[in-house]
Amino acid sequence: MPKFVIERDMPAVGKLSASDLRSASQKSCGVLGTLGSKIQWIQSYVTDDRIYCVYLAADEGLVRRHAEMSGFPADRISQVRSIIEPATAE
């Protein structure tokens, strides 16, 4: 499945408590369960005012549908075309 990076603009999200983040994760997982096996959340990176999420999904439409159903913004969705890392330099 294609990999996507989703940018979610969420002011002060970095100040949320562990309990708040757990609740948001539970909500996201509940929606994912409804959408089925063609979309999978890999992980997210929380910064001060934005969350960057990595998903596998059959298409961008499923990523958008998850955002709509969960109530989380999806300000930018980008399909990953390549992955590079330090070993790429060798």
Side-chain angles (χ1 to χ4, degrees), residues 32-73:
L32 288 169
T34 300
L35 291 174
S37 63
K38 294 188 177 190
I39 183 168
Q40 180 182 359
W41 174 27
I42 304 300
Q43 65 188 158
S44 297
Y45 302 91
V46 180
T47 64
D48 289 338
D49 296 311
R50 188 171 289 158
I51 299 179
Y52 299 88
C53 301
V54 180
Y55 279 70
L56 297 177
D59 58 54
E60 184 178 325
L62 271 175
V63 175
R64 289 196 183 284
R65 184 146 183 218
H66 173 268
E68 291 167 5
M69 291 175 68
S70 65
F72 300 124

PDB file of all heavy atoms in Angstrom, residues 32-73:
ATOM      1  N   LEU A  32     -10.388   3.932  12.354  1.00  0.00           N
ATOM      2  CA  LEU A  32      -9.641   3.011  11.496  1.00  0.00           C
ATOM      3  C   LEU A  32     -10.314   1.648  11.461  1.00  0.00           C
ATOM      4  O   LEU A  32     -10.398   1.013  10.398  1.00  0.00           O
ATOM      5  CB  LEU A  32      -8.193   2.882  11.963  1.00  0.00           C
ATOM      6  CG  LEU A  32      -7.312   4.097  11.716  1.00  0.00           C
ATOM      7  CD1 LEU A  32      -5.997   3.955  12.464  1.00  0.00           C
ATOM      8  CD2 LEU A  32      -7.079   4.313  10.236  1.00  0.00           C
ATOM      9  N   GLY A  33     -10.800   1.188  12.602  1.00  0.00           N
ATOM     10  CA  GLY A  33     -11.499  -0.089  12.659  1.00  0.00           C
ATOM     11  C   GLY A  33     -12.747  -0.091  11.786  1.00  0.00           C
ATOM     12  O   GLY A  33     -13.075  -1.096  11.154  1.00  0.00           O
ATOM     13  N   THR A  34     -13.425   1.035  11.726  1.00  0.00           N
ATOM     14  CA  THR A  34     -14.614   1.176  10.886  1.00  0.00           C
ATOM     15  C   THR A  34     -14.256   1.162   9.406  1.00  0.00           C
ATOM     16  O   THR A  34     -14.990   0.616   8.589  1.00  0.00           O
ATOM     17  CB  THR A  34     -15.337   2.502  11.226  1.00  0.00           C
ATOM     18  OG1 THR A  34     -15.709   2.481  12.603  1.00  0.00           O
ATOM     19  CG2 THR A  34     -16.562   2.711  10.367  1.00  0.00           C
ATOM     20  N   LEU A  35     -13.115   1.752   9.067  1.00  0.00           N
ATOM     21  CA  LEU A  35     -12.723   1.875   7.659  1.00  0.00           C
ATOM     22  C   LEU A  35     -12.155   0.581   7.074  1.00  0.00           C
ATOM     23  O   LEU A  35     -12.100   0.425   5.858  1.00  0.00           O
ATOM     24  CB  LEU A  35     -11.710   3.014   7.497  1.00  0.00           C
ATOM     25  CG  LEU A  35     -12.270   4.416   7.724  1.00  0.00           C
ATOM     26  CD1 LEU A  35     -11.145   5.453   7.678  1.00  0.00           C
ATOM     27  CD2 LEU A  35     -13.349   4.740   6.708  1.00  0.00           C
ATOM     28  N   GLY A  36     -11.697  -0.328   7.911  1.00  0.00           N
ATOM     29  CA  GLY A  36     -11.221  -1.611   7.414  1.00  0.00           C
ATOM     30  C   GLY A  36      -9.723  -1.690   7.204  1.00  0.00           C
ATOM     31  O   GLY A  36      -8.956  -0.823   7.619  1.00  0.00           O
ATOM     32  N   SER A  37      -9.316  -2.738   6.503  1.00  0.00           N
ATOM     33  CA  SER A  37      -7.897  -3.081   6.403  1.00  0.00           C
ATOM     34  C   SER A  37      -7.123  -2.328   5.327  1.00  0.00           C
ATOM     35  O   SER A  37      -5.925  -2.531   5.181  1.00  0.00           O
ATOM     36  CB  SER A  37      -7.758  -4.586   6.146  1.00  0.00           C
ATOM     37  OG  SER A  37      -8.350  -4.914   4.900  1.00  0.00           O
ATOM     38  N   LYS A  38      -7.770  -1.430   4.606  1.00  0.00           N
ATOM     39  CA  LYS A  38      -7.068  -0.718   3.531  1.00  0.00           C
ATOM     40  C   LYS A  38      -6.446   0.593   3.989  1.00  0.00           C
ATOM     41  O   LYS A  38      -5.977   1.382   3.180  1.00  0.00           O
ATOM     42  CB  LYS A  38      -8.004  -0.490   2.347  1.00  0.00           C
ATOM     43  CG  LYS A  38      -8.394  -1.789   1.687  1.00  0.00           C
ATOM     44  CD  LYS A  38      -9.147  -1.563   0.420  1.00  0.00           C
ATOM     45  CE  LYS A  38      -9.440  -2.919  -0.216  1.00  0.00           C
ATOM     46  NZ  LYS A  38      -9.960  -2.779  -1.550  1.00  0.00           N
ATOM     47  N   ILE A  39      -6.432   0.803   5.310  1.00  0.00           N
ATOM     48  CA  ILE A  39      -5.765   1.976   5.880  1.00  0.00           C
ATOM     49  C   ILE A  39      -5.173   1.575   7.225  1.00  0.00           C
ATOM     50  O   ILE A  39      -5.804   0.847   8.000  1.00  0.00           O
ATOM     51  CB  ILE A  39      -6.715   3.193   6.008  1.00  0.00           C
ATOM     52  CG1 ILE A  39      -5.962   4.424   6.542  1.00  0.00           C
ATOM     53  CG2 ILE A  39      -7.934   2.847   6.836  1.00  0.00           C
ATOM     54  CD1 ILE A  39      -6.746   5.724   6.433  1.00  0.00           C
ATOM     55  N   GLN A  40      -3.942   2.029   7.471  1.00  0.00           N
ATOM     56  CA  GLN A  40      -3.236   1.671   8.711  1.00  0.00           C
ATOM     57  C   GLN A  40      -2.426   2.870   9.190  1.00  0.00           C
ATOM     58  O   GLN A  40      -1.695   3.489   8.422  1.00  0.00           O
ATOM     59  CB  GLN A  40      -2.308   0.492   8.438  1.00  0.00           C
ATOM     60  CG  GLN A  40      -1.532   0.036   9.634  1.00  0.00           C
ATOM     61  CD  GLN A  40      -0.583  -1.107   9.288  1.00  0.00           C
ATOM     62  OE1 GLN A  40      -0.521  -1.580   8.160  1.00  0.00           O
ATOM     63  NE2 GLN A  40       0.182  -1.533  10.269  1.00  0.00           N
ATOM     64  N   TRP A  41      -2.541   3.176  10.455  1.00  0.00           N
ATOM     65  CA  TRP A  41      -1.754   4.240  11.086  1.00  0.00           C
ATOM     66  C   TRP A  41      -0.441   3.615  11.538  1.00  0.00           C
ATOM     67  O   TRP A  41      -0.424   2.639  12.278  1.00  0.00           O
ATOM     68  CB  TRP A  41      -2.541   4.804  12.254  1.00  0.00           C
ATOM     69  CG  TRP A  41      -1.861   5.814  13.116  1.00  0.00           C
ATOM     70  CD1 TRP A  41      -0.854   6.672  12.766  1.00  0.00           C
ATOM     71  CD2 TRP A  41      -2.167   6.099  14.470  1.00  0.00           C
ATOM     72  NE1 TRP A  41      -0.513   7.466  13.828  1.00  0.00           N
ATOM     73  CE2 TRP A  41      -1.310   7.130  14.897  1.00  0.00           C
ATOM     74  CE3 TRP A  41      -3.076   5.569  15.382  1.00  0.00           C
ATOM     75  CZ2 TRP A  41      -1.349   7.647  16.177  1.00  0.00           C
ATOM     76  CZ3 TRP A  41      -3.108   6.091  16.655  1.00  0.00           C
ATOM     77  CH2 TRP A  41      -2.249   7.128  17.043  1.00  0.00           C
ATOM     78  N   ILE A  42       0.669   4.192  11.122  1.00  0.00           N
ATOM     79  CA  ILE A  42       1.990   3.683  11.490  1.00  0.00           C
ATOM     80  C   ILE A  42       2.497   4.386  12.755  1.00  0.00           C
ATOM     81  O   ILE A  42       2.825   3.744  13.737  1.00  0.00           O
ATOM     82  CB  ILE A  42       3.009   3.857  10.339  1.00  0.00           C
ATOM     83  CG1 ILE A  42       2.499   3.180   9.067  1.00  0.00           C
ATOM     84  CG2 ILE A  42       4.379   3.342  10.752  1.00  0.00           C
ATOM     85  CD1 ILE A  42       2.249   1.695   9.199  1.00  0.00           C
ATOM     86  N   GLN A  43       2.577   5.706  12.716  1.00  0.00           N
ATOM     87  CA  GLN A  43       2.992   6.478  13.887  1.00  0.00           C
ATOM     88  C   GLN A  43       2.794   7.953  13.610  1.00  0.00           C
ATOM     89  O   GLN A  43       2.551   8.363  12.473  1.00  0.00           O
ATOM     90  CB  GLN A  43       4.437   6.208  14.282  1.00  0.00           C
ATOM     91  CG  GLN A  43       5.474   6.625  13.282  1.00  0.00           C
ATOM     92  CD  GLN A  43       6.867   6.145  13.652  1.00  0.00           C
ATOM     93  OE1 GLN A  43       7.686   6.055  12.779  1.00  0.00           O
ATOM     94  NE2 GLN A  43       7.167   5.853  14.881  1.00  0.00           N
ATOM     95  N   SER A  44       2.897   8.749  14.671  1.00  0.00           N
ATOM     96  CA  SER A  44       2.755  10.201  14.559  1.00  0.00           C
ATOM     97  C   SER A  44       3.823  10.889  15.377  1.00  0.00           C
ATOM     98  O   SER A  44       4.271  10.364  16.395  1.00  0.00           O
ATOM     99  CB  SER A  44       1.370  10.649  15.043  1.00  0.00           C
ATOM    100  OG  SER A  44       0.358  10.108  14.228  1.00  0.00           O
ATOM    101  N   TYR A  45       4.192  12.083  14.924  1.00  0.00           N
ATOM    102  CA  TYR A  45       5.180  12.917  15.602  1.00  0.00           C
ATOM    103  C   TYR A  45       4.469  14.196  16.033  1.00  0.00           C
ATOM    104  O   TYR A  45       3.933  14.921  15.193  1.00  0.00           O
ATOM    105  CB  TYR A  45       6.346  13.246  14.663  1.00  0.00           C
ATOM    106  CG  TYR A  45       7.027  12.007  14.129  1.00  0.00           C
ATOM    107  CD1 TYR A  45       6.620  11.428  12.939  1.00  0.00           C
ATOM    108  CD2 TYR A  45       8.065  11.407  14.840  1.00  0.00           C
ATOM    109  CE1 TYR A  45       7.234  10.281  12.455  1.00  0.00           C
ATOM    110  CE2 TYR A  45       8.679  10.260  14.356  1.00  0.00           C
ATOM    111  CZ  TYR A  45       8.264   9.703  13.162  1.00  0.00           C
ATOM    112  OH  TYR A  45       8.862   8.567  12.696  1.00  0.00           O
ATOM    113  N   VAL A  46       4.458  14.454  17.325  1.00  0.00           N
ATOM    114  CA  VAL A  46       3.779  15.620  17.876  1.00  0.00           C
ATOM    115  C   VAL A  46       4.811  16.715  18.117  1.00  0.00           C
ATOM    116  O   VAL A  46       5.803  16.498  18.822  1.00  0.00           O
ATOM    117  CB  VAL A  46       3.060  15.266  19.196  1.00  0.00           C
ATOM    118  CG1 VAL A  46       2.353  16.494  19.766  1.00  0.00           C
ATOM    119  CG2 VAL A  46       2.070  14.120  18.983  1.00  0.00           C
ATOM    120  N   THR A  47       4.577  17.888  17.530  1.00  0.00           N
ATOM    121  CA  THR A  47       5.420  19.060  17.771  1.00  0.00           C
ATOM    122  C   THR A  47       4.577  20.103  18.505  1.00  0.00           C
ATOM    123  O   THR A  47       3.459  19.799  18.937  1.00  0.00           O
ATOM    124  CB  THR A  47       5.974  19.621  16.447  1.00  0.00           C
ATOM    125  OG1 THR A  47       4.895  20.098  15.630  1.00  0.00           O
ATOM    126  CG2 THR A  47       6.755  18.544  15.678  1.00  0.00           C
ATOM    127  N   ASP A  48       5.084  21.292  18.659  1.00  0.00           N
ATOM    128  CA  ASP A  48       4.345  22.311  19.408  1.00  0.00           C
ATOM    129  C   ASP A  48       2.950  22.573  18.848  1.00  0.00           C
ATOM    130  O   ASP A  48       1.974  22.615  19.592  1.00  0.00           O
ATOM    131  CB  ASP A  48       5.124  23.629  19.446  1.00  0.00           C
ATOM    132  CG  ASP A  48       6.357  23.547  20.331  1.00  0.00           C
ATOM    133  OD1 ASP A  48       6.399  22.676  21.219  1.00  0.00           O
ATOM    134  OD2 ASP A  48       7.287  24.355  20.118  1.00  0.00           O
ATOM    135  N   ASP A  49       2.855  22.766  17.535  1.00  0.00           N
ATOM    136  CA  ASP A  49       1.601  23.186  16.916  1.00  0.00           C
ATOM    137  C   ASP A  49       1.161  22.321  15.739  1.00  0.00           C
ATOM    138  O   ASP A  49       0.317  22.736  14.941  1.00  0.00           O
ATOM    139  CB  ASP A  49       1.716  24.637  16.438  1.00  0.00           C
ATOM    140  CG  ASP A  49       1.929  25.591  17.596  1.00  0.00           C
ATOM    141  OD1 ASP A  49       1.172  25.499  18.577  1.00  0.00           O
ATOM    142  OD2 ASP A  49       2.846  26.429  17.520  1.00  0.00           O
ATOM    143  N   ARG A  50       1.723  21.139  15.616  1.00  0.00           N
ATOM    144  CA  ARG A  50       1.406  20.298  14.467  1.00  0.00           C
ATOM    145  C   ARG A  50       1.676  18.842  14.805  1.00  0.00           C
ATOM    146  O   ARG A  50       2.561  18.528  15.589  1.00  0.00           O
ATOM    147  CB  ARG A  50       2.271  20.731  13.279  1.00  0.00           C
ATOM    148  CG  ARG A  50       1.899  20.074  11.976  1.00  0.00           C
ATOM    149  CD  ARG A  50       2.645  20.692  10.823  1.00  0.00           C
ATOM    150  NE  ARG A  50       2.093  22.026  10.604  1.00  0.00           N
ATOM    151  CZ  ARG A  50       2.734  23.007   9.989  1.00  0.00           C
ATOM    152  NH1 ARG A  50       3.949  22.817   9.526  1.00  0.00           N
ATOM    153  NH2 ARG A  50       2.168  24.182   9.826  1.00  0.00           N
ATOM    154  N   ILE A  51       0.902  17.972  14.188  1.00  0.00           N
ATOM    155  CA  ILE A  51       1.168  16.538  14.262  1.00  0.00           C
ATOM    156  C   ILE A  51       1.448  16.060  12.843  1.00  0.00           C
ATOM    157  O   ILE A  51       0.731  16.413  11.907  1.00  0.00           O
ATOM    158  CB  ILE A  51      -0.028  15.754  14.852  1.00  0.00           C
ATOM    159  CG1 ILE A  51      -0.322  16.217  16.275  1.00  0.00           C
ATOM    160  CG2 ILE A  51       0.255  14.261  14.831  1.00  0.00           C
ATOM    161  CD1 ILE A  51      -1.507  15.504  16.922  1.00  0.00           C
ATOM    162  N   TYR A  52       2.504  15.272  12.703  1.00  0.00           N
ATOM    163  CA  TYR A  52       2.857  14.643  11.436  1.00  0.00           C
ATOM    164  C   TYR A  52       2.556  13.154  11.589  1.00  0.00           C
ATOM    165  O   TYR A  52       3.153  12.486  12.428  1.00  0.00           O
ATOM    166  CB  TYR A  52       4.336  14.839  11.111  1.00  0.00           C
ATOM    167  CG  TYR A  52       4.736  16.283  10.965  1.00  0.00           C
ATOM    168  CD1 TYR A  52       5.145  17.026  12.070  1.00  0.00           C
ATOM    169  CD2 TYR A  52       4.698  16.907   9.729  1.00  0.00           C
ATOM    170  CE1 TYR A  52       5.514  18.360  11.946  1.00  0.00           C
ATOM    171  CE2 TYR A  52       5.068  18.243   9.592  1.00  0.00           C
ATOM    172  CZ  TYR A  52       5.469  18.959  10.712  1.00  0.00           C
ATOM    173  OH  TYR A  52       5.828  20.276  10.584  1.00  0.00           O
ATOM    174  N   CYS A  53       1.625  12.654  10.792  1.00  0.00           N
ATOM    175  CA  CYS A  53       1.209  11.259  10.896  1.00  0.00           C
ATOM    176  C   CYS A  53       1.662  10.481   9.664  1.00  0.00           C
ATOM    177  O   CYS A  53       1.624  11.003   8.551  1.00  0.00           O
ATOM    178  CB  CYS A  53      -0.310  11.164  11.000  1.00  0.00           C
ATOM    179  SG  CYS A  53      -1.001  12.041  12.424  1.00  0.00           S
ATOM    180  N   VAL A  54       2.047   9.241   9.876  1.00  0.00           N
ATOM    181  CA  VAL A  54       2.439   8.354   8.786  1.00  0.00           C
ATOM    182  C   VAL A  54       1.391   7.240   8.699  1.00  0.00           C
ATOM    183  O   VAL A  54       1.116   6.568   9.700  1.00  0.00           O
ATOM    184  CB  VAL A  54       3.845   7.766   9.020  1.00  0.00           C
ATOM    185  CG1 VAL A  54       4.235   6.848   7.875  1.00  0.00           C
ATOM    186  CG2 VAL A  54       4.875   8.886   9.196  1.00  0.00           C
ATOM    187  N   TYR A  55       0.827   7.096   7.521  1.00  0.00           N
ATOM    188  CA  TYR A  55      -0.211   6.095   7.282  1.00  0.00           C
ATOM    189  C   TYR A  55       0.124   5.277   6.046  1.00  0.00           C
ATOM    190  O   TYR A  55       0.753   5.784   5.109  1.00  0.00           O
ATOM    191  CB  TYR A  55      -1.557   6.773   6.992  1.00  0.00           C
ATOM    192  CG  TYR A  55      -2.316   7.222   8.211  1.00  0.00           C
ATOM    193  CD1 TYR A  55      -1.872   8.282   8.992  1.00  0.00           C
ATOM    194  CD2 TYR A  55      -3.498   6.611   8.568  1.00  0.00           C
ATOM    195  CE1 TYR A  55      -2.577   8.711  10.101  1.00  0.00           C
ATOM    196  CE2 TYR A  55      -4.222   7.027   9.684  1.00  0.00           C
ATOM    197  CZ  TYR A  55      -3.756   8.076  10.437  1.00  0.00           C
ATOM    198  OH  TYR A  55      -4.461   8.498  11.548  1.00  0.00           O
ATOM    199  N   LEU A  56      -0.334   4.053   6.032  1.00  0.00           N
ATOM    200  CA  LEU A  56      -0.413   3.255   4.818  1.00  0.00           C
ATOM    201  C   LEU A  56      -1.885   3.248   4.431  1.00  0.00           C
ATOM    202  O   LEU A  56      -2.752   3.058   5.296  1.00  0.00           O
ATOM    203  CB  LEU A  56       0.053   1.817   5.058  1.00  0.00           C
ATOM    204  CG  LEU A  56       1.498   1.622   5.478  1.00  0.00           C
ATOM    205  CD1 LEU A  56       1.761   0.135   5.745  1.00  0.00           C
ATOM    206  CD2 LEU A  56       2.458   2.125   4.423  1.00  0.00           C
ATOM    207  N   ALA A  57      -2.159   3.485   3.158  1.00  0.00           N
ATOM    208  CA  ALA A  57      -3.558   3.494   2.724  1.00  0.00           C
ATOM    209  C   ALA A  57      -3.636   3.162   1.244  1.00  0.00           C
ATOM    210  O   ALA A  57      -2.709   3.453   0.478  1.00  0.00           O
ATOM    211  CB  ALA A  57      -4.189   4.866   2.981  1.00  0.00           C
ATOM    212  N   ALA A  58      -4.750   2.579   0.872  1.00  0.00           N
ATOM    213  CA  ALA A  58      -4.959   2.223  -0.528  1.00  0.00           C
ATOM    214  C   ALA A  58      -4.946   3.467  -1.413  1.00  0.00           C
ATOM    215  O   ALA A  58      -4.488   3.423  -2.550  1.00  0.00           O
ATOM    216  CB  ALA A  58      -6.267   1.459  -0.691  1.00  0.00           C
ATOM    217  N   ASP A  59      -5.448   4.589  -0.866  1.00  0.00           N
ATOM    218  CA  ASP A  59      -5.454   5.841  -1.638  1.00  0.00           C
ATOM    219  C   ASP A  59      -5.645   7.026  -0.693  1.00  0.00           C
ATOM    220  O   ASP A  59      -5.996   6.862   0.476  1.00  0.00           O
ATOM    221  CB  ASP A  59      -6.531   5.813  -2.722  1.00  0.00           C
ATOM    222  CG  ASP A  59      -7.923   5.579  -2.172  1.00  0.00           C
ATOM    223  OD1 ASP A  59      -8.358   6.320  -1.265  1.00  0.00           O
ATOM    224  OD2 ASP A  59      -8.587   4.637  -2.651  1.00  0.00           O
ATOM    225  N   GLU A  60      -5.424   8.213  -1.222  1.00  0.00           N
ATOM    226  CA  GLU A  60      -5.534   9.440  -0.439  1.00  0.00           C
ATOM    227  C   GLU A  60      -6.950   9.667   0.067  1.00  0.00           C
ATOM    228  O   GLU A  60      -7.167  10.234   1.143  1.00  0.00           O
ATOM    229  CB  GLU A  60      -5.082  10.636  -1.288  1.00  0.00           C
ATOM    230  CG  GLU A  60      -5.075  11.934  -0.547  1.00  0.00           C
ATOM    231  CD  GLU A  60      -4.582  13.103  -1.384  1.00  0.00           C
ATOM    232  OE1 GLU A  60      -3.685  12.909  -2.227  1.00  0.00           O
ATOM    233  OE2 GLU A  60      -5.101  14.224  -1.180  1.00  0.00           O
ATOM    234  N   GLY A  61      -7.931   9.215  -0.689  1.00  0.00           N
ATOM    235  CA  GLY A  61      -9.322   9.383  -0.282  1.00  0.00           C
ATOM    236  C   GLY A  61      -9.616   8.735   1.063  1.00  0.00           C
ATOM    237  O   GLY A  61     -10.375   9.291   1.867  1.00  0.00           O
ATOM    238  N   LEU A  62      -9.031   7.588   1.322  1.00  0.00           N
ATOM    239  CA  LEU A  62      -9.220   6.932   2.618  1.00  0.00           C
ATOM    240  C   LEU A  62      -8.606   7.752   3.747  1.00  0.00           C
ATOM    241  O   LEU A  62      -9.161   7.831   4.840  1.00  0.00           O
ATOM    242  CB  LEU A  62      -8.602   5.534   2.613  1.00  0.00           C
ATOM    243  CG  LEU A  62      -9.493   4.396   2.162  1.00  0.00           C
ATOM    244  CD1 LEU A  62      -8.700   3.096   2.092  1.00  0.00           C
ATOM    245  CD2 LEU A  62     -10.682   4.235   3.078  1.00  0.00           C
ATOM    246  N   VAL A  63      -7.469   8.361   3.483  1.00  0.00           N
ATOM    247  CA  VAL A  63      -6.833   9.219   4.490  1.00  0.00           C
ATOM    248  C   VAL A  63      -7.745  10.405   4.788  1.00  0.00           C
ATOM    249  O   VAL A  63      -7.959  10.763   5.953  1.00  0.00           O
ATOM    250  CB  VAL A  63      -5.440   9.683   4.015  1.00  0.00           C
ATOM    251  CG1 VAL A  63      -4.830  10.664   5.006  1.00  0.00           C
ATOM    252  CG2 VAL A  63      -4.520   8.492   3.788  1.00  0.00           C
ATOM    253  N   ARG A  64      -8.311  11.001   3.755  1.00  0.00           N
ATOM    254  CA  ARG A  64      -9.232  12.136   3.946  1.00  0.00           C
ATOM    255  C   ARG A  64     -10.494  11.698   4.698  1.00  0.00           C
ATOM    256  O   ARG A  64     -10.983  12.405   5.570  1.00  0.00           O
ATOM    257  CB  ARG A  64      -9.605  12.750   2.606  1.00  0.00           C
ATOM    258  CG  ARG A  64      -8.476  13.488   1.967  1.00  0.00           C
ATOM    259  CD  ARG A  64      -8.929  14.418   0.849  1.00  0.00           C
ATOM    260  NE  ARG A  64      -7.766  15.035   0.240  1.00  0.00           N
ATOM    261  CZ  ARG A  64      -7.071  16.021   0.764  1.00  0.00           C
ATOM    262  NH1 ARG A  64      -7.428  16.514   1.926  1.00  0.00           N
ATOM    263  NH2 ARG A  64      -6.028  16.527   0.142  1.00  0.00           N
ATOM    264  N   ARG A  65     -10.994  10.536   4.364  1.00  0.00           N
ATOM    265  CA  ARG A  65     -12.193  10.044   5.039  1.00  0.00           C
ATOM    266  C   ARG A  65     -11.924   9.829   6.520  1.00  0.00           C
ATOM    267  O   ARG A  65     -12.751  10.155   7.382  1.00  0.00           O
ATOM    268  CB  ARG A  65     -12.665   8.747   4.389  1.00  0.00           C
ATOM    269  CG  ARG A  65     -13.948   8.254   4.988  1.00  0.00           C
ATOM    270  CD  ARG A  65     -14.816   7.574   3.987  1.00  0.00           C
ATOM    271  NE  ARG A  65     -16.044   7.198   4.668  1.00  0.00           N
ATOM    272  CZ  ARG A  65     -16.693   6.096   4.459  1.00  0.00           C
ATOM    273  NH1 ARG A  65     -16.270   5.257   3.552  1.00  0.00           N
ATOM    274  NH2 ARG A  65     -17.791   5.824   5.118  1.00  0.00           N
ATOM    275  N   HIS A  66     -10.760   9.260   6.849  1.00  0.00           N
ATOM    276  CA  HIS A  66     -10.396   9.082   8.265  1.00  0.00           C
ATOM    277  C   HIS A  66     -10.384  10.427   8.987  1.00  0.00           C
ATOM    278  O   HIS A  66     -10.898  10.556  10.097  1.00  0.00           O
ATOM    279  CB  HIS A  66      -9.032   8.398   8.387  1.00  0.00           C
ATOM    280  CG  HIS A  66      -8.530   8.340   9.788  1.00  0.00           C
ATOM    281  ND1 HIS A  66      -7.720   9.320  10.315  1.00  0.00           N
ATOM    282  CD2 HIS A  66      -8.756   7.448  10.786  1.00  0.00           C
ATOM    283  CE1 HIS A  66      -7.459   9.025  11.574  1.00  0.00           C
ATOM    284  NE2 HIS A  66      -8.074   7.893  11.887  1.00  0.00           N
ATOM    285  N   ALA A  67      -9.787  11.435   8.352  1.00  0.00           N
ATOM    286  CA  ALA A  67      -9.719  12.761   8.970  1.00  0.00           C
ATOM    287  C   ALA A  67     -11.122  13.322   9.215  1.00  0.00           C
ATOM    288  O   ALA A  67     -11.412  13.855  10.291  1.00  0.00           O
ATOM    289  CB  ALA A  67      -8.908  13.706   8.087  1.00  0.00           C
ATOM    290  N   GLU A  68     -11.993  13.186   8.231  1.00  0.00           N
ATOM    291  CA  GLU A  68     -13.358  13.695   8.376  1.00  0.00           C
ATOM    292  C   GLU A  68     -14.109  12.966   9.482  1.00  0.00           C
ATOM    293  O   GLU A  68     -14.772  13.597  10.308  1.00  0.00           O
ATOM    294  CB  GLU A  68     -14.106  13.540   7.052  1.00  0.00           C
ATOM    295  CG  GLU A  68     -13.593  14.451   5.959  1.00  0.00           C
ATOM    296  CD  GLU A  68     -14.116  14.069   4.575  1.00  0.00           C
ATOM    297  OE1 GLU A  68     -14.965  13.143   4.462  1.00  0.00           O
ATOM    298  OE2 GLU A  68     -13.656  14.692   3.598  1.00  0.00           O
ATOM    299  N   MET A  69     -14.010  11.650   9.503  1.00  0.00           N
ATOM    300  CA  MET A  69     -14.750  10.859  10.494  1.00  0.00           C
ATOM    301  C   MET A  69     -14.217  11.038  11.913  1.00  0.00           C
ATOM    302  O   MET A  69     -14.978  11.004  12.879  1.00  0.00           O
ATOM    303  CB  MET A  69     -14.708   9.384  10.106  1.00  0.00           C
ATOM    304  CG  MET A  69     -15.513   9.053   8.864  1.00  0.00           C
ATOM    305  SD  MET A  69     -15.322   7.320   8.345  1.00  0.00           S
ATOM    306  CE  MET A  69     -16.151   6.473   9.697  1.00  0.00           C
ATOM    307  N   SER A  70     -12.908  11.241  12.037  1.00  0.00           N
ATOM    308  CA  SER A  70     -12.305  11.378  13.365  1.00  0.00           C
ATOM    309  C   SER A  70     -12.369  12.808  13.888  1.00  0.00           C
ATOM    310  O   SER A  70     -12.219  13.037  15.085  1.00  0.00           O
ATOM    311  CB  SER A  70     -10.854  10.900  13.345  1.00  0.00           C
ATOM    312  OG  SER A  70     -10.073  11.735  12.512  1.00  0.00           O
ATOM    313  N   GLY A  71     -12.566  13.765  12.984  1.00  0.00           N
ATOM    314  CA  GLY A  71     -12.597  15.164  13.389  1.00  0.00           C
ATOM    315  C   GLY A  71     -11.227  15.796  13.508  1.00  0.00           C
ATOM    316  O   GLY A  71     -11.090  16.918  13.994  1.00  0.00           O
ATOM    317  N   PHE A  72     -10.192  15.098  13.043  1.00  0.00           N
ATOM    318  CA  PHE A  72      -8.838  15.646  13.062  1.00  0.00           C
ATOM    319  C   PHE A  72      -8.557  16.326  11.724  1.00  0.00           C
ATOM    320  O   PHE A  72      -8.934  15.795  10.677  1.00  0.00           O
ATOM    321  CB  PHE A  72      -7.794  14.547  13.292  1.00  0.00           C
ATOM    322  CG  PHE A  72      -7.960  13.816  14.598  1.00  0.00           C
ATOM    323  CD1 PHE A  72      -8.092  12.438  14.617  1.00  0.00           C
ATOM    324  CD2 PHE A  72      -7.994  14.499  15.796  1.00  0.00           C
ATOM    325  CE1 PHE A  72      -8.252  11.754  15.815  1.00  0.00           C
ATOM    326  CE2 PHE A  72      -8.147  13.828  16.999  1.00  0.00           C
ATOM    327  CZ  PHE A  72      -8.278  12.451  17.006  1.00  0.00           C
ATOM    328  N   PRO A  73      -7.878  17.478  11.744  1.00  0.00           N
ATOM    329  CA  PRO A  73      -7.579  18.132  10.477  1.00  0.00           C
ATOM    330  C   PRO A  73      -6.566  17.332   9.656  1.00  0.00           C
ATOM    331  O   PRO A  73      -5.768  16.578  10.210  1.00  0.00           O
ATOM    332  CB  PRO A  73      -6.977  19.479  10.908  1.00  0.00           C
ATOM    333  CG  PRO A  73      -6.410  19.221  12.269  1.00  0.00           C
ATOM    334  CD  PRO A  73      -7.315  18.190  12.894  1.00  0.00           C
TER     335      PRO A  73
END
